[in-house]
Amino acid sequence: STSPVSTSPVTATTSKVTETESTTKTTTSGPTPSRSTSTTPVKETPVHETTTTRTPSPPIGSPTTISSPGTTTTSGPSSPTGTPPSISTTTSGPTPSVSTPPTTTGGTGMSTPTTTSATVTTPTTSAASTSPVSTTTSGTTPTESFTTTSGTTSSSFITINATTTSTTFKTLPPGSTTTSGPAATSTAVTTTGGESWWLCNCTKVICIEDNIVQVIPVICNPPPKPTCSNGLSPVPVIDEDGCCWHWECDCYCTGWGDPHYMTFDGLYYSYQGNCTYVLVEEINKKVDNFGVYIDNYHCDARDIVSCPRTLIVRHETQEVRLTTAQPNTLKVEVTVNNQLVALPYKKFGVSIYESGINRVVEIPELKMNVSYNGLSFSIRMPYSLFGNNTQGQCGTCNNNTADDCMLPNGNIAENCETMADHWQVVDPSKPQCSPGLVPTRTPDTTPTQPCKESSICELLLGSVFEPCHAFVQPEKYYAACVFDSCVLPNLDLECSSLQIYAATCADQGVCIDWRKHTNGVCSHECPPGKEYKACGPIKEMTCKSRGQNDTSTKQVEGCFCPNGTMLYDSGVDVCVKTCGCVGVDMIPREFGEKFTVDCQDCICLEGEHGIVCGPHVCEQKKVTCDGEGFYEVTEVNPEDSCCPLFTCKCNTSLCTAKAPKCSLGFEVLSYIPSGQCCPVYQCVPKGVCVHENAEFLPNSSVFVDKCQNCVCTNDVNVSTQLNIISCERVPCNTYCQPGYEIKPVKGECCGKCVQTKCIIHTADNSELILSPGDFKNDPHNNCTIYSCIDVHNQLIASTSEITCPAFNEESCKPGTISFLPNGCCKTCAPLDSRTPCSVRRRKDFIVYNGCRSVDRVDLTECEGTCGTFSLYSSEANSMDHSCSCCRETRATEKHVVLKCPGGHSMSHKYIYVESCSCQDTECSTPRSNELQNNEKNDKASALNRIKRAISLTSK
């Protein structure tokens, strides 16, 4: 548009900035120019003052509070310093704004410059202040005001047309514009023909008109220092404009022991699962295939606690696995996509290297790193990239522990032990683990009895770690240490609690040399040529990196090169005193040193190529091998292994003469004459005895037969040239103890003493020897009878007591008392000579064929006097006989179990008399020869009565 131009002086007017809640946020990495073109009539306007207020941006996760127009305020803790701490994050600085050339428009015949204004939006800054600046213009009129946003910065612009009548360059003094905090609001004045740009040291220049510029320096005030919920110190982060800085609480998660976890926000818990789990994943996926996972296993024979075995880091096309090579050690193997790799490794945006005892996976694009040493791990991620966007066993990174136990569905579990179960992932090597199923409850690992914790745990609370207590609270690490020492007292897992606490302290800038206070329990052994340092550099200086400036002040424990030496290269683990060359033999060489390796002559040269090698020259000496058995062989030269030696060797397998086969007692003797290869053979005696195709050494026993004791002597038979065997008859024993007799034994030279009689010890400790079938009364007691029987070739001696019937002397006729034939029991003629026939009862053992009843049984018999007489008959002139016998009238058959000496039992039947009576019997006429028979019968009857009266009761 065109308008008339007035030559009256005009002042520029800028309005104060007002930020509203509807401001659109746009992420930028530096100032972005915005353009506006306007042409308006010029009117006189009073001069106004420009006021820009830059206020700190809110802490992470806090909302922005809008105050009065032109001022943005935020809440947050204050910082005591105005100088930012050491910042390792590199960001790009501001870029100068671009202004288009002025154009000419026609109005009233005068040429009026029309300016296309280029406005600069101040990016997010950390603490800046500028003084208010007075703006003077000539012949300009404000025409339009509008508001734009860039990142978290709101700007208000005034477009002014100007007619330049003079050229003056001067820097205006600072006005009343002030800025503080990480977020700033600035006002850019656009004039026709003007532009703005950035100078060095974060200074912005705005061209007013007539070579008059406004210089606005960005001054950073110290931002308030927040308190991180994980107890660690916040880290300073450069703002996007590269000028100011602000504080952030990094996402820092650790795990150690069996295992214990500390989430990003500092929540401590223990979990004993033995599957593979998600440690970190993004809620809203911004990075392709990104995540950190852990593979746990049961490290206790009782399968109640677990330990980390593998840490898995996925990023885009790569999967890095850090695996513990041996349980409960600091030996870790690194694989990428299941291929073992050597460190350092760098490919596709992933860098893996050793840092002390740790293996570190670093993704520079994400400004994150993961470290693992076999016993513990740590994950550090910037809040600016991952704040409010993490999930898994490490929790959500938002500086608030309330939602750290979040489940995959977004709900919050009552505790993190329950939450951890739900973050299983599919692992083909663990078919017992199935994500999505309701997990079984973790067994209670609390010791059933009070436990005396390891004294090592006390170090956490003592003076050793006291310098770190102000930076990292030790209580949770102490609780983990006590738990490990009680549940797994034999694995020394409590060392991992001290190690991770010391590592966290070192991350906070406090290095503790603690292992020397553990009495060797937590000692760390270094390989030859290295020495342990508790406070070594994160990246050890090498010959190639010694010229580079390492600004990192953090330290780490591990094995490092001794003082006075340095690591040759990060991929060559050799300590050198001077930086020369190191070849495939891993031996350090100095510049100019000549050596031989892999049969090449090499020299260490200073320069790009380092080691230069050429073929090794050998002086060959040819030999000829004559004679049977000799052949040419190539040997290693001990003085020069690259140049072989040609020598003649003897191989007896090439000889035609064969060794003879010697008879028993002889052996082949071979010897090689001097200067020859093939041996000469002959048979010579061994100096042994020979018997039945066997050889015997001198003084050794020779078995000829069992009845002879033979031995091989040192005497030699002149005719056979064999040693002589001497034999003696085996002596036999001819004495046996009483009751034993020598009996010949088939196949034996001597007989054996075999028991043939029973040996009985009587009551007076005398010995009584009885043959099988014999019995004998005790010499001092006729009521005791000893007997010997042979049952299945086994002699059994028994002692029996005679049980006498009841005897009442008062019922006897005087002078009729006598002993029965057994010599034990008394008898007599009763007063009433006629004793009625009746049943007599008694208890006794039953013996049959050597077997006897276990207990006494009821036995009955008929006994008494019946009417028997002999009378003379005058009519018959002979004797009349009437015979009556006391016999059983009713009897039954009973059974009893008998126990036999062999251990078996048998059933036996016997007669039980129930009633008796006198019964007539035939009276026979006595004969002369019958008298003798009667005597024998009487004896037999008496013997039977004795045996019946004997009670076979074994003592």
Side-chain angles (χ1 to χ4, degrees):
S1 61
T2 59
S3 60
V5 179
S6 172
T7 58
S8 302
V10 182
T11 58
T13 304
T14 59
S15 62
K16 294 184 179 179
V17 178
T18 303
E19 183 176 44
T20 63
E21 294 181 359
S22 61
T23 300
T24 304
K25 293 184 178 180
T26 304
T27 303
T28 63
S29 61
T32 304
S34 59
R35 300 167 181 259
S36 174
T37 303
S38 177
T39 304
T40 58
V42 179
K43 296 190 295 181
E44 265 189 311
T45 307
V47 176
H48 290 272
E49 202 171 59
T50 302
T51 303
T52 304
T53 305
R54 303 183 68 183
T55 57
S57 61
I60 303 305
S62 302
T64 301
T65 303
I66 307 301
S67 60
S68 59
T71 305
T72 305
T73 61
T74 59
S75 61
S78 61
S79 172
T81 63
T83 304
S86 175
I87 302 174
S88 59
T89 304
T90 303
T91 60
S92 59
T95 57
S97 60
V98 179
S99 175
T100 59
T103 58
T104 303
T105 59
T108 57
M110 295 182 61
S111 176
T112 304
T114 303
T115 303
T116 302
S117 64
T119 62
V120 179
T121 302
T122 304
T124 303
T125 58
S126 182
S129 68
T130 60
S131 301
V133 179
S134 298
T135 304
T136 304
T137 61
S138 175
T140 60
T141 303
T143 58
E144 184 179 4
S145 175
F146 58 94
T147 302
T148 64
T149 61
S150 173
T152 58
T153 305
S154 174
S155 302
S156 179
F157 302 91
I158 302 297
T159 303
I160 302 173
N161 292 334
T163 301
T164 303
T165 58
S166 62
T167 302
T168 305
F169 179 85
K170 67 175 181 178
T171 302
L172 300 181
S176 58
T177 303
T178 60
T179 307
S180 64
T185 303
S186 64
T187 301
V189 178
T190 302
T191 61
T192 56
E195 64 179 24
S196 63
W197 64 93
W198 289 91
L199 296 178
C200 59
N201 297 328
C202 294
T203 303
K204 185 172 68 174
V205 178
I206 301 176
C207 177
I208 304 303
E209 50 111 13
D210 294 336
N211 290 331
I212 300 176
V213 296
Q214 178 183 5
V215 179
I216 305 178
V218 178
I219 301 174
C220 300
N221 286 333
K225 189 173 184 179
T227 300
C228 298
S229 62
N230 56 19
L232 305 180
S233 299
V235 296
V237 179
I238 295 291
D239 290 344
E240 292 181 359
D241 61 7
C243 294
C244 298
W245 58 277
H246 62 279
W247 295 105
E248 286 184 0
C249 294
D250 268 356
C251 308
Y252 189 71
C253 175
T254 57
W256 70 95
D258 58 352
H260 312 284
Y261 293 87
M262 195 82 76
T263 65
F264 286 133
D265 296 331
L267 183 63
Y268 167 79
Y269 69 96
S270 298
Y271 177 65
Q272 313 302 332
N274 68 327
C275 296
T276 303
Y277 305 92
V278 176
L279 287 177
V280 185
E281 279 185 349
E282 290 184 301
I283 300 175
N284 299 317
K285 310 299 182 183
K286 298 180 181 179
V287 182
D288 184 30
N289 189 32
F290 171 75
V292 183
Y293 310 87
I294 190 168
D295 170 17
N296 289 340
Y297 75 104
H298 282 313
C299 54
D300 178 46
R302 297 168 294 172
D303 288 349
I304 59 173
V305 295
S306 59
C307 299
R309 175 167 51 194
T310 303
L311 204 67
I312 306 166
V313 181
R314 291 177 182 168
H315 178 251
E316 296 180 350
T317 62
Q318 300 188 93
E319 179 181 274
V320 181
R321 287 180 172 263
L322 309 177
T323 304
T324 304
Q326 296 179 7
N328 198 23
T329 65
L330 298 178
K331 297 181 180 179
V332 177
E333 291 181 348
V334 181
T335 61
V336 177
N337 294 339
N338 296 322
Q339 295 293 326
L340 199 65
V341 298
L343 302 186
Y345 171 92
K346 189 173 184 180
K347 190 176 182 181
F348 299 148
V350 174
S351 175
I352 311 172
Y353 57 89
E354 293 186 23
S355 179
I357 63 174
N358 302 308
R359 304 297 183 273
V360 180
V361 180
E362 192 173 82
I363 305 176
E365 176 189 3
L366 303 180
K367 303 175 185 177
M368 69 162 290
N369 64 68
V370 177
S371 66
Y372 181 65
N373 57 34
L375 297 178
S376 62
F377 69 86
S378 66
I379 304 172
R380 179 179 289 277
M381 305 165 66
Y383 183 89
S384 58
L385 296 180
F386 293 94
N388 290 300
N389 195 32
T390 64
Q391 60 182 354
Q393 290 185 342
C394 279
T396 57
C397 179
N398 59 1
N399 209 29
N400 182 7
T401 60
D403 56 357
D404 277 3
C405 302
M406 187 175 71
L407 301 175
N409 60 8
N411 295 332
I412 306 301
E414 60 180 3
N415 57 66
C416 285
E417 288 80 2
T418 302
M419 171 272 291
D421 264 326
H422 290 268
W423 287 105
Q424 292 185 26
V425 296
V426 176
D427 189 342
S429 66
K430 296 185 175 182
Q432 77 276 9
C433 301
S434 180
L437 296 180
V438 177
T440 56
R441 181 167 182 82
T442 303
D444 185 12
T445 56
T446 303
T448 56
Q449 297 180 354
C451 168
K452 175 64 177 177
E453 69 271 11
S454 171
S455 60
I456 296 177
C457 300
E458 298 291 340
L459 296 176
L460 287 167
L461 305 178
S463 59
V464 175
F465 284 96
E466 186 177 3
C468 183
H469 291 172
F471 298 89
V472 182
Q473 295 298 319
E475 286 75 14
K476 298 174 183 177
Y477 302 91
Y478 175 77
C481 182
V482 171
F483 178 89
D484 290 346
S485 66
C486 290
V487 177
L488 297 174
N490 299 322
L491 292 184
D492 296 334
L493 272 184
E494 57 266 29
C495 296
S496 63
S497 295
L498 277 70
Q499 185 270 323
I500 192 66
Y501 182 69
T504 306
C505 292
D507 183 78
Q508 297 299 297
V510 181
C511 184
I512 305 293
D513 188 2
W514 59 276
R515 292 188 184 269
K516 63 183 179 182
H517 299 280
T518 62
N519 295 325
V521 176
C522 302
S523 62
H524 180 63
E525 298 295 332
C526 290
K530 294 290 190 73
E531 64 181 22
Y532 173 79
K533 293 182 181 179
C535 306
I538 290 181
K539 289 189 177 181
E540 190 171 4
M541 184 176 65
T542 66
C543 289
K544 293 186 179 181
S545 67
R546 58 179 174 172
Q548 302 173 5
N549 292 328
D550 187 6
T551 59
S552 176
T553 59
K554 293 184 178 180
Q555 294 175 309
V556 66
E557 67 168 329
C559 296
F560 299 92
C561 290
N563 293 333
T565 64
M566 70 175 64
L567 197 64
Y568 180 76
D569 195 5
S570 57
V572 182
D573 193 16
V574 177
C575 297
V576 297
K577 293 183 179 179
T578 59
C579 292
C581 308
V582 175
V584 293
D585 57 357
M586 305 300 287
I587 299 176
R589 315 281 183 180
E590 295 184 2
F591 291 128
E593 181 179 350
K594 295 180 180 180
F595 57 96
T596 299
V597 62
D598 291 340
C599 293
Q600 287 190 322
D601 293 330
C602 304
I603 184 172
C604 173
L605 298 177
E606 186 173 5
E608 180 179 355
H609 295 288
I611 297 176
V612 178
C613 299
H616 184 65
V617 180
C618 297
E619 294 181 2
Q620 303 291 338
K621 291 183 179 180
K622 195 65 177 176
V623 296
T624 57
C625 300
D626 297 327
E628 185 182 14
F630 285 109
Y631 69 100
E632 185 179 302
V633 68
T634 302
E635 293 182 335
V636 177
N637 189 345
E639 298 178 357
D640 189 351
S641 60
C642 296
C643 295
L645 291 178
F646 298 98
T647 59
C648 292
K649 290 292 183 181
C650 175
N651 185 358
T652 56
S653 63
L654 302 176
C655 299
T656 56
K658 302 297 180 184
K661 186 176 182 181
C662 300
S663 59
L664 281 176
F666 293 85
E667 62 184 350
V668 176
L669 176 65
S670 65
Y671 66 95
I672 299 175
S674 176
Q676 295 184 16
C677 172
C678 296
V680 177
Y681 302 101
Q682 65 181 34
C683 291
V684 296
K686 294 182 180 180
V688 297
C689 300
V690 176
H691 177 71
E692 292 185 353
N693 296 324
E695 295 179 347
F696 299 89
L697 294 173
N699 300 321
S700 63
S701 297
V702 180
F703 180 78
V704 176
D705 61 56
K706 63 176 66 179
C707 298
Q708 297 184 81
N709 291 326
C710 300
V711 65
C712 178
T713 66
N714 287 306
D715 298 331
V716 179
N717 188 320
V718 178
S719 61
T720 63
Q721 295 186 338
L722 298 175
N723 290 31
I724 299 173
I725 298 176
S726 175
C727 297
E728 292 181 357
R729 188 72 183 177
V730 175
C732 296
N733 181 28
T734 59
Y735 171 77
C736 292
Q737 294 180 354
Y740 289 81
E741 296 179 3
I742 294 180
K743 297 288 183 181
V745 180
K746 186 178 180 180
E748 298 291 339
C749 298
C750 301
K752 290 177 59 178
C753 290
V754 179
Q755 185 177 0
T756 58
K757 297 180 181 180
C758 296
I759 302 174
I760 302 174
H761 294 277
T762 62
D764 59 353
N765 291 327
S766 62
E767 286 189 352
L768 183 65
I769 298 177
L770 297 178
S771 298
D774 291 348
F775 61 90
K776 187 176 182 180
N777 292 77
D778 189 290
H780 305 288
N781 183 6
N782 285 334
C783 294
T784 300
I785 298 177
Y786 302 104
S787 63
C788 177
I789 59 176
D790 186 347
V791 179
H792 301 297
N793 295 323
Q794 182 177 3
L795 297 178
I796 300 176
S798 64
T799 303
S800 305
E801 298 288 342
I802 298 176
T803 303
C804 296
F807 179 76
N808 186 4
E809 294 185 0
E810 294 179 355
S811 63
C812 296
K813 291 182 180 180
T816 62
I817 298 175
S818 63
F819 284 95
L820 291 174
N822 59 19
C824 174
C825 300
K826 292 181 179 181
T827 185
C828 67
L831 293 175
D832 183 3
S833 60
R834 297 183 60 86
T835 301
C837 178
S838 61
V839 177
R840 179 174 176 270
R841 291 178 172 80
R842 63 186 176 88
K843 282 185 174 290
D844 203 351
F845 291 97
I846 293 180
V847 178
Y848 179 76
N849 287 340
C851 302
R852 193 186 75 173
S853 60
V854 179
D855 299 315
R856 297 176 187 267
V857 297
D858 289 329
L859 298 176
T860 57
E861 55 190 16
C862 293
E863 189 176 56
T865 304
C866 292
T868 299
F869 61 89
S870 294
L871 295 176
Y872 174 75
S873 172
S874 57
E875 294 181 356
N877 194 23
S878 64
M879 296 295 291
D880 287 338
H881 304 278
S882 176
C883 296
S884 178
C885 184
C886 184
R887 299 181 62 181
E888 69 276 6
T889 57
R890 187 171 70 252
T892 58
E893 189 178 76
K894 291 191 174 184
H895 295 264
V896 66
V897 176
L898 304 184
K899 196 73 173 181
C900 299
H904 65 280
S905 301
M906 63 176 292
S907 178
H908 178 69
K909 296 184 293 184
Y910 69 97
I911 304 300
Y912 183 83
V913 178
E914 294 184 353
S915 62
C916 301
S917 65
C918 294
Q919 300 180 23
D920 292 337
T921 183
E922 183 179 355
C923 296
S924 59
T925 302
R927 297 177 182 178
S928 59
N929 59 344
E930 290 178 353
L931 294 175
Q932 296 177 353
N933 294 334
N934 289 339
E935 289 179 358
K936 294 181 180 179
N937 292 336
D938 290 341
K939 291 181 179 179
S941 176
L943 180 61
N944 290 335
R945 290 177 62 85
I946 291 172
K947 289 183 178 180
R948 188 178 62 184
I950 293 174
S951 174
L952 298 177
T953 304
S954 299
K955 290 187 177 181

